Amino acid sequence: MSTISDETLATPFATEEFRERLRDLPPSAKLVAKVLEDEAPLSQGQLADASLLPDRTVRYALNRLEDSGLVESRYSFTDARKQVYFLST
């Protein structure tokens, strides 16, 4: 029987480096990161719905998170026209 270490279960929020880079970002970016921690991967529209933030604010938050290296994106498997976002590990 294999066991799973605490490190395997740790989210990026658990690391001090992640939290330090997130600390200086605006509240909207922190909220988007928290939503992604619980529900990733999500599209920009799904993030706007889940966070109750306007699309423009979500776009700004994602740009800030990507510039900080905290969020990555890829094309959606279900709709190649859309990108989905997830926390960097």
Side-chain angles (χ1 to χ4, degrees), residues 3-50:
T3 60
I4 299 173
S5 69
D6 289 339
E7 196 171 306
T8 304
L9 296 174
T11 67
F13 271 91
T15 66
E16 185 61 34
E17 178 188 356
F18 187 93
R19 293 166 59 92
E20 189 62 35
R21 287 191 283 165
L22 189 62
R23 185 167 284 126
D24 294 330
L25 295 180
S28 60
K30 293 173 185 170
L31 176 58
V32 167
K34 190 64 177 166
V35 170
L36 285 173
E37 178 187 34
D38 295 335
E39 302 179 35
L42 294 173
S43 69
Q44 182 179 325
Q46 291 169 320
L47 277 166
D49 290 342

Tab-separated table of all heavy atoms in Angstrom, residues 3-50:
chain	number	residue	atom	x	y	z
A	3	THR	N	1.724	5.305	0.302
A	3	THR	CA	1.254	6.447	1.074
A	3	THR	C	1.558	7.716	0.311
A	3	THR	O	2.512	7.791	-0.458
A	3	THR	CB	1.934	6.502	2.458
A	3	THR	OG1	3.340	6.605	2.259
A	3	THR	CG2	1.591	5.279	3.284
A	4	ILE	N	0.745	8.711	0.539
A	4	ILE	CA	0.925	9.999	-0.119
A	4	ILE	C	1.506	10.958	0.898
A	4	ILE	O	0.962	11.123	1.986
A	4	ILE	CB	-0.412	10.546	-0.659
A	4	ILE	CG1	-0.972	9.575	-1.695
A	4	ILE	CG2	-0.231	11.924	-1.256
A	4	ILE	CD1	-2.362	9.931	-2.180
A	5	SER	N	2.612	11.571	0.551
A	5	SER	CA	3.242	12.498	1.481
A	5	SER	C	2.493	13.824	1.508
A	5	SER	O	1.739	14.154	0.606
A	5	SER	CB	4.697	12.750	1.063
A	5	SER	OG	4.729	13.487	-0.132
A	6	ASP	N	2.703	14.589	2.570
A	6	ASP	CA	2.097	15.910	2.688
A	6	ASP	C	2.555	16.809	1.548
A	6	ASP	O	1.823	17.674	1.111
A	6	ASP	CB	2.455	16.560	4.025
A	6	ASP	CG	1.761	15.884	5.185
A	6	ASP	OD1	0.736	15.208	4.952
A	6	ASP	OD2	2.244	16.029	6.321
A	7	GLU	N	3.758	16.598	1.069
A	7	GLU	CA	4.290	17.418	-0.014
A	7	GLU	C	3.500	17.209	-1.303
A	7	GLU	O	3.287	18.130	-2.075
A	7	GLU	CB	5.768	17.066	-0.235
A	7	GLU	CG	6.511	18.087	-1.051
A	7	GLU	CD	7.986	17.796	-1.052
A	7	GLU	OE1	8.570	17.671	0.026
A	7	GLU	OE2	8.544	17.687	-2.155
A	8	THR	N	3.040	15.988	-1.542
A	8	THR	CA	2.251	15.691	-2.728
A	8	THR	C	0.910	16.404	-2.684
A	8	THR	O	0.393	16.862	-3.694
A	8	THR	CB	2.022	14.172	-2.849
A	8	THR	OG1	3.281	13.523	-2.848
A	8	THR	CG2	1.276	13.821	-4.109
A	9	LEU	N	0.326	16.504	-1.488
A	9	LEU	CA	-0.974	17.126	-1.331
A	9	LEU	C	-0.911	18.645	-1.252
A	9	LEU	O	-1.923	19.318	-1.313
A	9	LEU	CB	-1.652	16.590	-0.065
A	9	LEU	CG	-1.980	15.105	-0.067
A	9	LEU	CD1	-2.507	14.686	1.292
A	9	LEU	CD2	-2.972	14.772	-1.150
A	10	ALA	N	0.282	19.198	-1.088
A	10	ALA	CA	0.437	20.630	-0.899
A	10	ALA	C	0.044	21.393	-2.155
A	10	ALA	O	0.337	20.990	-3.274
A	10	ALA	CB	1.870	20.955	-0.530
A	11	THR	N	-0.645	22.487	-1.956
A	11	THR	CA	-0.991	23.372	-3.058
A	11	THR	C	0.089	24.433	-3.172
A	11	THR	O	0.857	24.639	-2.233
A	11	THR	CB	-2.354	24.042	-2.810
A	11	THR	OG1	-2.231	24.919	-1.690
A	11	THR	CG2	-3.441	23.018	-2.562
A	12	PRO	N	0.133	25.140	-4.294
A	12	PRO	CA	1.117	26.218	-4.408
A	12	PRO	C	0.983	27.249	-3.283
A	12	PRO	O	1.971	27.846	-2.880
A	12	PRO	CB	0.808	26.839	-5.763
A	12	PRO	CG	0.190	25.737	-6.551
A	12	PRO	CD	-0.581	24.932	-5.540
A	13	PHE	N	-0.228	27.454	-2.759
A	13	PHE	CA	-0.421	28.411	-1.671
A	13	PHE	C	0.356	28.006	-0.429
A	13	PHE	O	0.636	28.834	0.426
A	13	PHE	CB	-1.907	28.532	-1.308
A	13	PHE	CG	-2.630	29.571	-2.109
A	13	PHE	CD1	-3.260	29.236	-3.289
A	13	PHE	CD2	-2.680	30.883	-1.684
A	13	PHE	CE1	-3.939	30.185	-4.031
A	13	PHE	CE2	-3.353	31.851	-2.415
A	13	PHE	CZ	-3.981	31.498	-3.597
A	14	ALA	N	0.683	26.730	-0.302
A	14	ALA	CA	1.385	26.251	0.885
A	14	ALA	C	2.859	26.636	0.873
A	14	ALA	O	3.500	26.618	1.914
A	14	ALA	CB	1.236	24.736	1.005
A	15	THR	N	3.401	26.986	-0.269
A	15	THR	CA	4.818	27.331	-0.336
A	15	THR	C	5.025	28.814	-0.015
A	15	THR	O	4.252	29.667	-0.435
A	15	THR	CB	5.420	27.024	-1.717
A	15	THR	OG1	4.827	27.879	-2.690
A	15	THR	CG2	5.205	25.570	-2.104
A	16	GLU	N	6.060	29.075	0.716
A	16	GLU	CA	6.364	30.455	1.111
A	16	GLU	C	6.690	31.317	-0.103
A	16	GLU	O	6.300	32.485	-0.164
A	16	GLU	CB	7.534	30.474	2.103
A	16	GLU	CG	7.835	31.842	2.660
A	16	GLU	CD	6.670	32.456	3.435
A	16	GLU	OE1	5.920	31.727	4.095
A	16	GLU	OE2	6.511	33.700	3.374
A	17	GLU	N	7.393	30.745	-1.085
A	17	GLU	CA	7.745	31.501	-2.292
A	17	GLU	C	6.488	31.966	-3.044
A	17	GLU	O	6.397	33.121	-3.463
A	17	GLU	CB	8.611	30.646	-3.216
A	17	GLU	CG	8.977	31.350	-4.502
A	17	GLU	CD	9.666	30.442	-5.499
A	17	GLU	OE1	9.935	29.268	-5.182
A	17	GLU	OE2	9.911	30.912	-6.620
A	18	PHE	N	5.521	31.076	-3.197
A	18	PHE	CA	4.274	31.429	-3.880
A	18	PHE	C	3.563	32.547	-3.132
A	18	PHE	O	3.124	33.536	-3.712
A	18	PHE	CB	3.366	30.193	-3.980
A	18	PHE	CG	2.128	30.416	-4.807
A	18	PHE	CD1	2.127	30.115	-6.157
A	18	PHE	CD2	0.964	30.915	-4.235
A	18	PHE	CE1	0.987	30.311	-6.936
A	18	PHE	CE2	-0.171	31.113	-4.994
A	18	PHE	CZ	-0.157	30.814	-6.351
A	19	ARG	N	3.448	32.400	-1.825
A	19	ARG	CA	2.755	33.398	-1.014
A	19	ARG	C	3.477	34.743	-1.048
A	19	ARG	O	2.831	35.787	-1.066
A	19	ARG	CB	2.613	32.891	0.414
A	19	ARG	CG	1.675	31.692	0.506
A	19	ARG	CD	1.783	30.984	1.841
A	19	ARG	NE	1.471	31.845	2.961
A	19	ARG	CZ	0.268	31.966	3.496
A	19	ARG	NH1	-0.736	31.276	2.988
A	19	ARG	NH2	0.065	32.755	4.515
A	20	GLU	N	4.791	34.720	-1.061
A	20	GLU	CA	5.556	35.972	-1.102
A	20	GLU	C	5.330	36.710	-2.424
A	20	GLU	O	5.155	37.925	-2.441
A	20	GLU	CB	7.049	35.672	-0.898
A	20	GLU	CG	7.894	36.895	-0.702
A	20	GLU	CD	7.514	37.698	0.534
A	20	GLU	OE1	7.129	37.105	1.556
A	20	GLU	OE2	7.587	38.946	0.469
A	21	ARG	N	5.337	35.984	-3.546
A	21	ARG	CA	5.102	36.633	-4.842
A	21	ARG	C	3.669	37.140	-4.958
A	21	ARG	O	3.404	38.157	-5.584
A	21	ARG	CB	5.415	35.669	-5.991
A	21	ARG	CG	6.912	35.461	-6.163
A	21	ARG	CD	7.219	34.733	-7.432
A	21	ARG	NE	6.918	33.311	-7.254
A	21	ARG	CZ	6.800	32.453	-8.256
A	21	ARG	NH1	6.930	32.856	-9.496
A	21	ARG	NH2	6.544	31.193	-8.024
A	22	LEU	N	2.728	36.449	-4.338
A	22	LEU	CA	1.321	36.842	-4.377
A	22	LEU	C	1.041	38.061	-3.495
A	22	LEU	O	0.157	38.864	-3.786
A	22	LEU	CB	0.460	35.661	-3.933
A	22	LEU	CG	-1.042	35.776	-4.088
A	22	LEU	CD1	-1.418	35.933	-5.559
A	22	LEU	CD2	-1.728	34.562	-3.497
A	23	ARG	N	1.828	38.232	-2.460
A	23	ARG	CA	1.592	39.270	-1.444
A	23	ARG	C	1.483	40.673	-2.029
A	23	ARG	O	0.650	41.471	-1.603
A	23	ARG	CB	2.694	39.210	-0.394
A	23	ARG	CG	2.483	40.156	0.764
A	23	ARG	CD	3.408	39.864	1.921
A	23	ARG	NE	2.894	38.667	2.607
A	23	ARG	CZ	3.620	37.579	2.859
A	23	ARG	NH1	4.878	37.527	2.502
A	23	ARG	NH2	3.099	36.544	3.469
A	24	ASP	N	2.292	41.011	-3.018
A	24	ASP	CA	2.326	42.371	-3.566
A	24	ASP	C	1.324	42.608	-4.691
A	24	ASP	O	1.249	43.712	-5.216
A	24	ASP	CB	3.735	42.715	-4.058
A	24	ASP	CG	4.737	42.776	-2.914
A	24	ASP	OD1	4.318	43.116	-1.783
A	24	ASP	OD2	5.924	42.491	-3.150
A	25	LEU	N	0.572	41.605	-5.063
A	25	LEU	CA	-0.393	41.746	-6.152
A	25	LEU	C	-1.710	42.334	-5.645
A	25	LEU	O	-2.002	42.282	-4.453
A	25	LEU	CB	-0.632	40.387	-6.810
A	25	LEU	CG	0.577	39.785	-7.520
A	25	LEU	CD1	0.222	38.440	-8.125
A	25	LEU	CD2	1.131	40.712	-8.574
A	26	PRO	N	-2.507	42.899	-6.546
A	26	PRO	CA	-3.780	43.497	-6.131
A	26	PRO	C	-4.768	42.437	-5.625
A	26	PRO	O	-4.643	41.245	-5.930
A	26	PRO	CB	-4.296	44.167	-7.406
A	26	PRO	CG	-3.546	43.568	-8.518
A	26	PRO	CD	-2.253	43.059	-7.978
A	27	PRO	N	-5.764	42.881	-4.848
A	27	PRO	CA	-6.757	41.945	-4.303
A	27	PRO	C	-7.453	41.104	-5.367
A	27	PRO	O	-7.756	39.928	-5.127
A	27	PRO	CB	-7.760	42.852	-3.587
A	27	PRO	CG	-6.981	44.078	-3.242
A	27	PRO	CD	-5.983	44.246	-4.363
A	28	SER	N	-7.698	41.664	-6.537
A	28	SER	CA	-8.363	40.885	-7.593
A	28	SER	C	-7.506	39.694	-8.015
A	28	SER	O	-8.030	38.602	-8.257
A	28	SER	CB	-8.680	41.768	-8.795
A	28	SER	OG	-7.501	42.327	-9.345
A	29	ALA	N	-6.205	39.879	-8.079
A	29	ALA	CA	-5.308	38.780	-8.450
A	29	ALA	C	-5.296	37.707	-7.369
A	29	ALA	O	-5.268	36.510	-7.667
A	29	ALA	CB	-3.900	39.311	-8.698
A	30	LYS	N	-5.349	38.130	-6.115
A	30	LYS	CA	-5.388	37.160	-5.013
A	30	LYS	C	-6.672	36.345	-5.055
A	30	LYS	O	-6.656	35.134	-4.838
A	30	LYS	CB	-5.256	37.891	-3.678
A	30	LYS	CG	-3.890	38.524	-3.492
A	30	LYS	CD	-3.840	39.378	-2.255
A	30	LYS	CE	-2.499	40.081	-2.180
A	30	LYS	NZ	-2.462	41.103	-1.145
A	31	LEU	N	-7.783	37.002	-5.345
A	31	LEU	CA	-9.065	36.297	-5.431
A	31	LEU	C	-9.070	35.306	-6.590
A	31	LEU	O	-9.489	34.158	-6.437
A	31	LEU	CB	-10.216	37.288	-5.583
A	31	LEU	CG	-11.604	36.683	-5.771
A	31	LEU	CD1	-11.977	35.767	-4.610
A	31	LEU	CD2	-12.632	37.779	-5.951
A	32	VAL	N	-8.566	35.728	-7.744
A	32	VAL	CA	-8.503	34.832	-8.908
A	32	VAL	C	-7.612	33.630	-8.593
A	32	VAL	O	-7.955	32.494	-8.909
A	32	VAL	CB	-8.032	35.595	-10.164
A	32	VAL	CG1	-7.663	34.636	-11.283
A	32	VAL	CG2	-9.111	36.568	-10.622
A	33	ALA	N	-6.488	33.859	-7.935
A	33	ALA	CA	-5.599	32.753	-7.565
A	33	ALA	C	-6.308	31.785	-6.616
A	33	ALA	O	-6.189	30.566	-6.755
A	33	ALA	CB	-4.323	33.292	-6.931
A	34	LYS	N	-7.056	32.319	-5.675
A	34	LYS	CA	-7.770	31.464	-4.720
A	34	LYS	C	-8.844	30.628	-5.421
A	34	LYS	O	-9.008	29.447	-5.132
A	34	LYS	CB	-8.391	32.323	-3.616
A	34	LYS	CG	-8.926	31.534	-2.477
A	34	LYS	CD	-7.809	30.801	-1.762
A	34	LYS	CE	-8.346	30.056	-0.556
A	34	LYS	NZ	-7.382	29.098	-0.040
A	35	VAL	N	-9.553	31.238	-6.368
A	35	VAL	CA	-10.557	30.491	-7.134
A	35	VAL	C	-9.869	29.379	-7.934
A	35	VAL	O	-10.359	28.249	-7.984
A	35	VAL	CB	-11.362	31.433	-8.059
A	35	VAL	CG1	-12.220	30.644	-9.034
A	35	VAL	CG2	-12.233	32.379	-7.240
A	36	LEU	N	-8.721	29.689	-8.531
A	36	LEU	CA	-7.990	28.682	-9.302
A	36	LEU	C	-7.482	27.554	-8.406
A	36	LEU	O	-7.388	26.402	-8.845
A	36	LEU	CB	-6.833	29.312	-10.068
A	36	LEU	CG	-7.223	30.115	-11.295
A	36	LEU	CD1	-6.009	30.837	-11.876
A	36	LEU	CD2	-7.865	29.226	-12.348
A	37	GLU	N	-7.159	27.869	-7.175
A	37	GLU	CA	-6.699	26.829	-6.247
A	37	GLU	C	-7.797	25.786	-6.041
A	37	GLU	O	-7.525	24.592	-5.973
A	37	GLU	CB	-6.314	27.444	-4.904
A	37	GLU	CG	-5.868	26.388	-3.896
A	37	GLU	CD	-5.636	26.946	-2.522
A	37	GLU	OE1	-6.352	27.883	-2.107
A	37	GLU	OE2	-4.733	26.428	-1.849
A	38	ASP	N	-9.039	26.247	-5.984
A	38	ASP	CA	-10.156	25.347	-5.719
A	38	ASP	C	-10.739	24.694	-6.959
A	38	ASP	O	-11.250	23.583	-6.890
A	38	ASP	CB	-11.281	26.102	-5.001
A	38	ASP	CG	-10.870	26.580	-3.621
A	38	ASP	OD1	-9.952	25.975	-3.025
A	38	ASP	OD2	-11.457	27.571	-3.149
A	39	GLU	N	-10.702	25.374	-8.121
A	39	GLU	CA	-11.489	24.927	-9.261
A	39	GLU	C	-10.741	24.842	-10.596
A	39	GLU	O	-11.383	24.730	-11.622
A	39	GLU	CB	-12.689	25.867	-9.441
A	39	GLU	CG	-13.575	25.962	-8.228
A	39	GLU	CD	-14.730	26.914	-8.437
A	39	GLU	OE1	-15.246	26.996	-9.570
A	39	GLU	OE2	-15.108	27.576	-7.469
A	40	ALA	N	-9.440	24.925	-10.620
A	40	ALA	CA	-8.700	24.957	-11.880
A	40	ALA	C	-8.813	23.642	-12.631
A	40	ALA	O	-9.022	22.602	-12.015
A	40	ALA	CB	-7.245	25.286	-11.614
A	41	PRO	N	-8.661	23.643	-13.935
A	41	PRO	CA	-8.460	24.795	-14.828
A	41	PRO	C	-9.791	25.455	-15.190
A	41	PRO	O	-10.813	24.783	-15.312
A	41	PRO	CB	-7.808	24.182	-16.058
A	41	PRO	CG	-8.322	22.776	-16.093
A	41	PRO	CD	-8.537	22.369	-14.648
A	42	LEU	N	-9.742	26.770	-15.346
A	42	LEU	CA	-10.922	27.542	-15.708
A	42	LEU	C	-10.593	28.533	-16.812
A	42	LEU	O	-9.478	29.038	-16.885
A	42	LEU	CB	-11.449	28.326	-14.499
A	42	LEU	CG	-12.005	27.532	-13.323
A	42	LEU	CD1	-12.321	28.466	-12.167
A	42	LEU	CD2	-13.243	26.771	-13.741
A	43	SER	N	-11.586	28.821	-17.645
A	43	SER	CA	-11.432	29.854	-18.667
A	43	SER	C	-11.624	31.223	-18.012
A	43	SER	O	-12.071	31.327	-16.864
A	43	SER	CB	-12.463	29.665	-19.781
A	43	SER	OG	-13.759	29.944	-19.285
A	44	GLN	N	-11.328	32.263	-18.761
A	44	GLN	CA	-11.500	33.612	-18.242
A	44	GLN	C	-12.963	33.871	-17.870
A	44	GLN	O	-13.252	34.444	-16.816
A	44	GLN	CB	-11.031	34.640	-19.260
A	44	GLN	CG	-11.135	36.058	-18.761
A	44	GLN	CD	-10.649	37.053	-19.789
A	44	GLN	OE1	-9.708	36.777	-20.534
A	44	GLN	NE2	-11.277	38.195	-19.851
A	45	GLY	N	-13.884	33.441	-18.702
A	45	GLY	CA	-15.303	33.614	-18.420
A	45	GLY	C	-15.747	32.851	-17.184
A	45	GLY	O	-16.532	33.353	-16.370
A	46	GLN	N	-15.251	31.628	-17.028
A	46	GLN	CA	-15.578	30.839	-15.846
A	46	GLN	C	-15.015	31.484	-14.584
A	46	GLN	O	-15.648	31.477	-13.533
A	46	GLN	CB	-15.046	29.411	-15.992
A	46	GLN	CG	-15.767	28.605	-17.040
A	46	GLN	CD	-15.059	27.295	-17.347
A	46	GLN	OE1	-13.828	27.241	-17.417
A	46	GLN	NE2	-15.844	26.241	-17.528
A	47	LEU	N	-13.818	32.070	-14.706
A	47	LEU	CA	-13.232	32.774	-13.568
A	47	LEU	C	-14.059	33.992	-13.184
A	47	LEU	O	-14.253	34.273	-12.001
A	47	LEU	CB	-11.797	33.210	-13.889
A	47	LEU	CG	-10.729	32.146	-13.690
A	47	LEU	CD1	-9.425	32.564	-14.354
A	47	LEU	CD2	-10.531	31.879	-12.214
A	48	ALA	N	-14.555	34.710	-14.184
A	48	ALA	CA	-15.390	35.881	-13.910
A	48	ALA	C	-16.670	35.450	-13.189
A	48	ALA	O	-17.087	36.093	-12.218
A	48	ALA	CB	-15.714	36.619	-15.200
A	49	ASP	N	-17.267	34.358	-13.627
A	49	ASP	CA	-18.483	33.854	-12.976
A	49	ASP	C	-18.204	33.398	-11.544
A	49	ASP	O	-18.960	33.711	-10.624
A	49	ASP	CB	-19.082	32.690	-13.760
A	49	ASP	CG	-19.695	33.114	-15.081
A	49	ASP	OD1	-19.973	34.323	-15.254
A	49	ASP	OD2	-19.891	32.234	-15.939
A	50	ALA	N	-17.131	32.655	-11.357
A	50	ALA	CA	-16.819	32.101	-10.040
A	50	ALA	C	-16.384	33.169	-9.038
A	50	ALA	O	-16.672	33.063	-7.849
A	50	ALA	CB	-15.736	31.034	-10.167
